[in-house]
Amino acid sequence: MTVNRRVIAITGAGGTLGAALATQLVSEAGTDLVLSDFSEASLAPTVNGLPAAAGEVATMLADVSEIEQVEAVVAHAVERFGRLDVLVSNAGILSPNGRIHNLATEDWERAFRVNVMGAVNGIKAAVGVMRPQKSGSIILTASVSGLTAWSHAAPYCATKAAVIQLAKVAAVEYARDGIRVNCVCPGTFRSGIHEGLPPEALDAIAVKHPLGLGTASDMVGAYSYLASDASRWTTGSAIVVDGGYSAP
Ligand SMILES: NC(=O)c1ccc[n+]([C@@H]2O[C@H](COP(=O)([O-])OP(=O)(O)OC[C@H]3O[C@@H](n4cnc5c(N)ncnc54)[C@H](O)[C@@H]3O)[C@@H](O)[C@H]2O)c1
């Protein structure tokens, strides 16, 4: 490792957005990646799809709702590459469709364990390395659903709103340690998260996006910016990339 190299860890890297982020970021000069997901079946295609002649890539299976497993991902980054410059806490799940009173306690708990505690665990693990380094960028994947009300999706909306607030508080808490914390709030793009839904289920959502549904590749610019030095004075931000969904 040379001092000019940059090490980025991505959770949920086996998913649609995670794969797009890995492809973009590893193509940027001097970048090594640690890719993690709790599903080996989805992580392998991400790794196989990466461009040749890019940076080095390490992989690890980890469930973000378990702090020890997230700490192991960060420890792996340090063992393999000597540091961790950027953590992209990206793993997330949709909650089942239903009004608040019809959703089971387990549905609520699962959404909070993965979407909120996954981000909390990422921050806890990353700052353990970034504070001594006196530098780092933590990027949380929130959602425009954390800023707007989606009927029948209360756990998802509530957890993504929590992620936005978590990024803001963490930004304030760790600024003096040289660590920036931001989140990205995507609008809807087709991904593995919609698996099992009929294709037309997204049609009603598509018409609410003035620019139509996005794609995962429409999101990567915001992450690329937050992972770079160009964003050195950006912290506590929720960057909305939603094709105009939240504009009206
Ligand atoms: N697709 C959209 O329209 C949309 C919109 C806004 C925000 N998001 C967010 O984008 C992020 C990526 O989702 P995506 O759309 O690429 O969906 P996806 O289902 O394709 O990817 C999610 C990945 O997270 C992994 N994952 C799930 N639970 C995990 C856990 N406990 N530990 C580790 N990994 C776990 C899955 O295996 C999967 O590979 C999520 O946080 C999601 O909430 C998606």
Side-chain angles (χ1 to χ4, degrees):
M1 194 201 79
T2 72
V3 288
N4 293 324
R5 292 203 75 78
R6 171 181 75 156
V7 181
I8 301 180
I10 304 174
T11 72
T16 307
L17 179 55
L21 294 176
T23 301
Q24 168 63 31
L25 294 170
V26 82
S27 307
E28 295 178 5
T31 303
D32 297 316
L33 292 182
V34 180
L35 303 181
S36 74
D37 201 288
F38 77 161
S39 159
E40 188 160 22
S42 47
L43 196 51
T46 297
V47 176
N48 294 336
L50 292 177
E56 283 189 54
V57 179
T59 59
M60 203 162 170
L61 293 181
D63 180 338
V64 294
S65 66
E66 302 289 340
I67 180 68
E68 298 79 10
Q69 297 188 29
V70 184
E71 284 171 343
V73 171
V74 171
H76 192 58
V78 174
E79 277 159 31
R80 173 88 183 260
F81 300 117
R83 55 190 293 115
L84 178 67
D85 299 293
V86 179
L87 171 75
V88 183
S89 174
N90 172 67
I93 55 167
L94 268 183
S95 44
N97 253 18
R99 290 168 71 192
I100 292 167
H101 66 281
N102 286 328
L103 291 167
T105 300
E106 301 78 61
D107 295 329
W108 284 92
E109 288 176 346
R110 187 163 150 64
F112 273 86
R113 269 204 316 277
V114 178
N115 294 352
V116 181
M117 290 314 297
V120 170
N121 291 338
I123 292 170
K124 286 174 78 170
V127 299
V129 174
M130 292 175 176
R131 290 183 68 213
Q133 280 176 189
K134 290 269 170 223
S135 69
S137 172
I138 298 173
I139 308 167
L140 310 179
T141 297
S143 166
V144 76
S145 70
L147 299 166
T148 58
W150 291 8
S151 182
H152 294 68
Y156 190 67
C157 292
T159 55
K160 292 301 187 177
V163 170
I164 294 167
Q165 187 66 358
L166 182 63
K168 290 177 186 291
V169 176
V172 173
E173 288 191 5
Y174 297 109
R176 284 188 194 283
D177 293 308
I179 302 168
R180 298 182 295 103
V181 188
N182 294 282
C183 65
V184 178
C185 300
T188 301
F189 57 95
R190 285 188 198 281
S191 81
I193 215 166
H194 305 115
E195 204 176 289
L197 296 178
E200 61 275 17
L202 294 188
D203 292 351
I205 299 173
V207 296
K208 295 183 178 171
H209 290 70
L211 294 181
L213 288 185
T215 65
S217 64
D218 293 325
M219 311 300 144
V220 299
Y223 291 83
S224 182
Y225 167 69
L226 291 172
S228 78
D229 195 45
S231 62
R232 62 189 170 275
W233 206 54
T234 301
T235 199
S237 290
I239 298 185
V240 175
V241 187
D242 70 350
Y245 177 89
S246 58

